[in-house]
């Protein structure tokens, strides 16, 4: 039992779970636009998510405590290094055009963690309200725009609607994390819950979800796609409304983050029916 817990915690802490959430969003995009996936691109984004998230989460910690790193953190560093090698391998399997359009999103990820503002001691994460927007923009870019460009799709109003919907959904997925971290974030890090409170944050989340629902019905698609979305939609509402400052250890890091995976699995089930 202890071993299973260690493996599960490593799965979460090493950003494998969040990478599967991003991978699920990629598969959802493929289902909506009915194109054959580029497996090399999907794995490039999967391993890129692990590399990027672990860089953002642990780069500062490793720098400050490089001589006394815990065993778990050392394992995550080694794991991240091999994921980076996998990222490089799959990068060479992707057309240059796709990589060119990926560059701005990669740059945003780097600037999210690397200080370059105010005398090089401040990064994008520390700019009020920008953190959540940058993450949502990068997720929507990598899970909608990049795979569609790679597939040779012409940017249409339908794609714009889906990208805006994905942007709003990712913002709402982040809100339970921000609610959890209110007591731990630095005062200078002005997240939405810290600035306006938890209740108003949930109201904003509901408004954004209503807009995402409207966009879903502006996007031409079959009932096979609509029904899984509606199940995902109500599950996200429930988890958002039940989010609190003193939530359980796995509430956001596992259950909330699992919702895109559930959405993708529901699509597979309804497709088989």
């Amino acid at each position: 039992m202890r071993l299973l817990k260690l493996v599960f915690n490593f799965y979460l802490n090493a950003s494998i779970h969040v990478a599967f959430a991003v991978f699920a969003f990629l598969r959802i995009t493929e289902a909506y636009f009915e194109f054959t996936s580029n497996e090399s691109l999907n794995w490039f984004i999967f391993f890129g998510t692990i590399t990027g998230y672990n860089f953002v989460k642990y780069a500062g910690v490793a720098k400050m405590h490089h001589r006394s790193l815990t065993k778990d953190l050392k394992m995550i560093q080694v794991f991240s290094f091999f994921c980076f090698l996998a990222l490089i391998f799959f990068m060479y399997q992707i057309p240059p055009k796709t990589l060119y359009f990926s560059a701005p999103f990669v740059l945003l990820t780097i600037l999210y963690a690397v200080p370059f503002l105010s005398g090089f001691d401040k990064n994008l994460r520390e700019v009020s309200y920008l953190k959540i927007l940058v993450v949502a923009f990068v997720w929507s870019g990598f899970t909608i725009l990049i795979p569609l460009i790679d597939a040779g799709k012409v940017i249409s109003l339908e794609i714009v609607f889906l990208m805006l919907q994905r942007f709003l959904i990712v913002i709402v997925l982040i809100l339970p994390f921000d609610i959890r971290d209110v007591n731990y974030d630095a005062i200078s890090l002005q997240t939405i819950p810290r600035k306006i409170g938890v209740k108003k944050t949930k109201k904003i989340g509901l408004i954004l979800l209503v807009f995402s629902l409207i966009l879903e019905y502006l996007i031409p698609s079959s009932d096979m796609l609509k029904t899984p979305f509606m199940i995902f939609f109500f599950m996200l509402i429930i988890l958002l409304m039940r989010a609190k400052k003193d939530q359980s250890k796995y509430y956001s890091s596992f259950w909330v983050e699992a919702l895109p995976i559930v959405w993708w699995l529901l699509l597979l089930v309804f497709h088989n029916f």
Side-chain angles (χ1 to χ4, degrees):
M1 195 68 183
R2 184 173 178 272
L3 178 61
L4 286 176
K5 187 175 181 180
L6 288 172
V7 171
F8 183 67
N9 285 333
F10 181 83
Y11 169 77
L12 294 179
N13 295 334
S15 305
I16 303 171
H17 192 53
V18 67
F20 275 118
V22 170
F23 189 85
F25 271 140
L26 283 166
R27 294 300 193 185
I28 292 166
T29 300
E30 292 162 10
Y32 269 75
F33 289 95
E34 299 180 337
F35 64 92
T36 304
S37 65
N38 180 341
E39 293 298 331
S40 293
L41 176 63
N42 286 357
W43 289 115
F44 166 76
I45 293 174
F46 177 83
F47 288 111
T49 301
I50 294 175
T51 304
Y53 262 79
N54 288 346
F55 171 71
V56 168
K57 286 195 294 185
Y58 303 118
V61 175
K63 184 178 179 181
M64 290 186 294
H65 306 287
H66 65 284
R67 292 183 180 178
S68 58
L69 291 177
T70 65
K71 184 179 178 182
D72 290 344
L73 187 50
K74 287 179 181 177
M75 287 177 61
I76 290 173
Q77 283 188 319
V78 172
F79 175 72
S80 300
F81 174 72
F82 282 106
C83 287
F84 176 71
L85 294 181
L87 162 70
I88 298 299
F89 172 79
F90 286 110
M91 183 180 73
Y92 281 99
Q93 319 301 317
I94 299 169
K97 178 184 175 182
T98 304
L99 292 175
Y100 173 78
F101 280 98
S102 300
F105 300 105
V106 173
L107 180 62
L108 275 175
T109 303
I110 294 170
L111 296 181
Y112 184 83
V114 176
F116 71 103
L117 298 170
S118 301
F120 299 99
D121 61 354
K122 194 174 185 181
N123 55 36
L124 290 179
R125 184 178 184 272
E126 296 169 302
V127 179
S128 296
Y129 306 118
L130 199 55
K131 165 192 169 183
I132 195 169
L133 299 178
V134 170
V135 174
F137 181 67
V138 170
W139 274 52
S140 57
F142 269 123
T143 63
I144 293 181
L145 186 63
I146 299 304
L148 289 172
I149 287 174
D150 183 75
K153 298 287 184 180
V154 177
I155 303 301
S156 62
L157 188 60
E158 181 183 356
I159 291 174
V160 173
F161 282 161
L162 194 65
M163 192 165 175
L164 178 58
Q165 183 198 56
R166 187 69 51 82
F167 179 81
L168 298 177
I169 286 171
V170 174
I171 287 177
V172 178
L173 285 169
I174 294 171
L175 292 179
F177 288 87
D178 282 351
I179 290 171
R180 177 197 66 184
D181 294 338
V182 164
N183 294 331
Y184 306 102
D185 283 332
I187 295 174
S188 59
L189 189 60
Q190 290 296 315
T191 59
I192 295 173
R194 178 178 283 279
K195 190 70 175 178
I196 66 173
V198 172
K199 287 185 179 179
K200 289 183 179 179
T201 297
K202 291 180 179 180
K203 288 179 181 178
I204 288 176
L206 286 176
I207 292 170
L208 296 182
L209 282 175
V210 169
F211 278 116
S212 74
L213 179 62
I214 294 170
L215 288 167
E216 180 68 21
Y217 283 90
L218 291 176
I219 301 167
S221 61
S222 65
D223 290 339
M224 184 194 78
L225 297 176
K226 292 285 188 288
T227 304
F229 172 80
M230 290 306 301
I231 296 172
F232 164 82
F233 175 81
F234 284 112
M235 290 177 69
L236 182 50
I237 287 178
I238 292 169
L239 289 182
L240 171 66
M241 297 311 293
R242 289 177 61 86
K244 54 187 179 181
K245 297 177 186 178
D246 301 317
Q247 57 188 252
S248 67
K249 180 179 178 181
Y250 301 119
Y251 186 87
S252 293
S253 61
F254 179 74
W255 295 110
V256 174
E257 206 112 71
L259 288 179
I261 303 170
V262 173
W263 184 4
W264 173 40
L265 294 176
L266 287 169
L267 281 173
L268 294 178
V269 171
F270 276 81
H271 179 74
N272 290 332
F273 281 131

